[in-house]
Amino acid sequence: MIIRPMIRNNLCLNSHPKGCALAVKRQIDYVQTHLAGGISPEKLRAGAAAGTPKLALVVGCSTGYGLASRITAGFGYGAATVGVSLEKPGSAAKPGTPGFYNNLAFDAEALQAGLPARTLEGDAFSDALKAEAVAAVKGIAVAAKIPPKIDLIIYSLASPVRTDPKDGVMYRSVVKPIGNAYSGKTVDMMTGKIRAVCVEPAGEDEIAATVKVMGGEDWELWIDTLDKAGVLSPAMRTVAYTYIGPEISWPIYKNGTIGRAKEDLERAGKAIRRRFSNTRGGAWVSVNKALVTRASAVIPIIPFYVSCLFKVMKEKLLHEGCIEQMARLFRDRLYIDAAYSDPAEVPVDSEGRIRLDDWEMRADVQRETAAAMDIAVEENIFTFTDVAGFKHDFLEAHGFDVPGVDYEAGVDPSGI
């Protein structure tokens, strides 16, 4: 089958297995060059400092920051990893989701490298999947010849819906403002066309549902389950991800339904941190930079802002993708020498958050990005913004526009 991208309103409806696999391989190459230096997983595990991860669980492992986190833990630090995600497999007649191919590629690369890894497909919100993860952790520990004690948990779920295992009710998140309607610009990355959008405010039920799906409750349930099963290291470290962004995006993001959910995520992080404060454990919410994801492409203002931001950050040599961000999180925050034995040494802001958006939020970057947003119109959008870069990153996230892939060659969509 020859697979070409199917784009509708900034949504990509398919993916390419070979492109996804090569993109994963290049992320692995990056961390092996910048963190591990090509050292084998066995030597990494044998010689790693006491505070670096040996056994990591990544909830939401298949795309974006979750995938990059798993790659960094495994190929950058030699950790055995268990990944959890819910993806649609490919078949002979239809491509699977990008995350399906990413997981296949990660597993294949880990096997070739001799790196213990197990990927679970299922509903991460369910009790059954949590129990399956406990069993997988014990099994992977045997394979890695290490104690069955998780010392790193990455919580990076991006599901739009959640079925509560307690009552069976399905909750659906929304991206809406709170209180007042929101009007702003968005850009079609395929054509460069700019249009105005208006989003009506969320109702109380929609706000509550978004918090239920994207807040911190399930993160806490994962910690509870793993702790009760006896598979948590006393010095466990756990991180969840959030975004704050510039004030121009706050009505639809920080002060909207997503922001309300992220406030609950921060609440959960603080509660987990208090719970493990006496055992050298730690929990953080990491505020990451704006990136192109399958979700961000359809959030009003974000594509336009990101396109302007990318141009500025690339000109200043400050631009990072998911893998560069996660390498910096591990190397310069979570596992700096001073923090090996004392999580209080992890650099944080006044709210206890890790800030990887520090380069994005620099005054000069924000000033120049705002200026570009003021002058960019359809006639000059490819001059004053990086819509082309946004488009590339979006396509690459689905396995398209990856250099080195022959997109005219037929592929088997059931695998890689």
Side-chain angles (χ1 to χ4, degrees):
M1 178 185 294
I2 295 176
I3 306 174
R4 296 187 175 90
M6 298 172 58
I7 310 294
R8 302 287 188 276
N9 298 321
N10 280 11
L11 286 172
C12 187
L13 306 180
N14 61 350
S15 61
H16 197 285
K18 296 295 184 182
C20 289
L22 185 54
V24 168
K25 179 64 168 63
R26 286 177 176 163
Q27 290 189 66
I28 291 171
D29 291 344
Y30 179 88
V31 298
Q32 287 184 319
T33 300
H34 292 79
L35 294 180
I39 301 173
S40 70
E42 292 80 6
K43 289 183 179 179
L44 275 168
R45 287 196 297 276
T52 56
K54 308 295 191 302
L55 178 53
L57 171 67
V58 182
V59 182
C61 68
S62 56
T63 61
Y65 282 126
L67 173 63
S69 300
R70 191 180 190 191
I71 289 171
T72 303
F75 290 90
Y77 287 83
T81 65
V82 174
V84 174
S85 65
L86 180 60
E87 298 292 344
K88 292 182 180 179
S91 67
K94 186 178 180 180
T97 54
F100 171 72
Y101 297 125
N102 292 341
N103 285 341
L104 288 181
F106 179 92
D107 290 343
E109 294 290 341
L111 179 63
Q112 183 176 358
L115 190 64
R118 174 87 185 276
T119 301
L120 306 177
E121 289 290 350
D123 179 6
F125 294 119
S126 71
D127 293 339
L129 199 284
K130 290 179 174 68
E132 189 178 351
V134 169
V137 164
K138 293 178 179 178
I140 208 74
V142 172
K145 299 179 181 179
I146 57 177
K149 298 291 184 180
I150 303 168
D151 48 21
L152 175 64
I153 301 169
I154 299 296
Y155 188 83
S156 186
L157 276 188
S159 172
V161 297
R162 175 189 177 192
T163 298
D164 192 325
K166 294 179 181 178
D167 56 22
V169 175
M170 177 181 284
Y171 297 89
R172 187 174 299 276
S173 64
V174 297
V175 181
K176 290 186 175 182
I178 293 175
N180 299 301
Y182 171 78
S183 296
K185 295 179 180 178
T186 193
V187 61
D188 185 324
M189 71 187 127
M190 304 302 292
T191 64
K193 297 292 185 182
I194 298 173
R195 63 184 176 88
V197 293
C198 182
V199 183
E200 293 300 315
E204 290 300 322
D205 288 349
E206 291 177 308
I207 297 170
T210 304
V211 172
K212 193 77 173 178
V213 176
M214 302 179 67
E217 181 181 59
D218 187 61
W219 186 17
E220 292 178 292
L221 289 175
W222 270 99
I223 299 298
D224 288 342
T225 299
L226 299 168
D227 196 18
K228 290 175 182 176
V231 294
L232 280 187
S233 166
M236 174 276 306
R237 297 184 182 195
T238 182
V239 183
Y241 300 129
T242 192
Y243 180 67
I244 295 177
E247 288 191 31
I248 191 173
S249 70
W250 286 5
I252 194 68
Y253 205 97
K254 179 178 177 291
N255 296 335
T257 53
I258 294 180
R260 190 68 62 85
K262 295 302 186 180
E263 288 175 8
D264 188 68
L265 191 73
E266 292 192 33
R267 173 206 58 77
K270 292 175 181 177
I272 297 168
R273 185 160 62 243
R274 288 192 299 269
R275 177 173 172 177
F276 290 89
S277 61
N278 294 326
T279 63
R280 294 188 298 113
W284 299 268
V285 169
S286 176
V287 184
N288 301 340
K289 77 178 283 284
L291 287 176
V292 179
T293 66
R294 299 173 71 191
S296 68
V298 296
I299 299 176
I301 200 64
I302 298 299
F304 185 51
Y305 165 73
V306 169
S307 296
C308 295
L309 173 73
F310 278 15
K311 183 173 180 62
V312 172
M313 294 193 76
K314 287 177 181 179
E315 290 175 349
K316 294 179 179 292
L317 303 180
L318 296 174
H319 181 67
E320 295 173 312
C322 286
I323 197 64
E324 292 86 1
Q325 280 266 286
M326 294 303 95
R328 189 153 68 98
L329 170 66
F330 281 59
R331 182 189 61 232
D332 299 344
R333 302 294 195 273
L334 282 180
Y335 298 111
I336 60 173
D337 290 349
Y340 278 166
S341 59
D342 185 1
E345 295 298 322
V346 172
V348 295
D349 67 9
S350 60
E351 297 296 321
R353 300 172 298 205
I354 294 173
R355 300 302 295 261
L356 291 179
D357 64 341
D358 48 351
W359 297 352
E360 174 187 351
M361 300 311 297
R362 267 178 31 175
D364 59 327
V365 171
Q366 285 299 306
R367 182 174 60 251
E368 293 175 32
T369 300
M373 294 180 73
D374 285 340
I375 62 176
V377 292
E378 289 181 1
E379 290 73 18
N380 63 23
I381 195 166
F382 291 100
T383 300
F384 291 104
T385 80
D386 189 27
V387 170
F390 188 104
K391 175 183 175 182
H392 164 76
D393 288 359
F394 179 79
L395 290 172
E396 186 179 59
H398 295 81
F400 299 106
D401 205 28
V402 178
V405 176
D406 181 2
Y407 291 102
E408 297 304 314
V411 295
D412 179 1
S414 64
I416 58 172

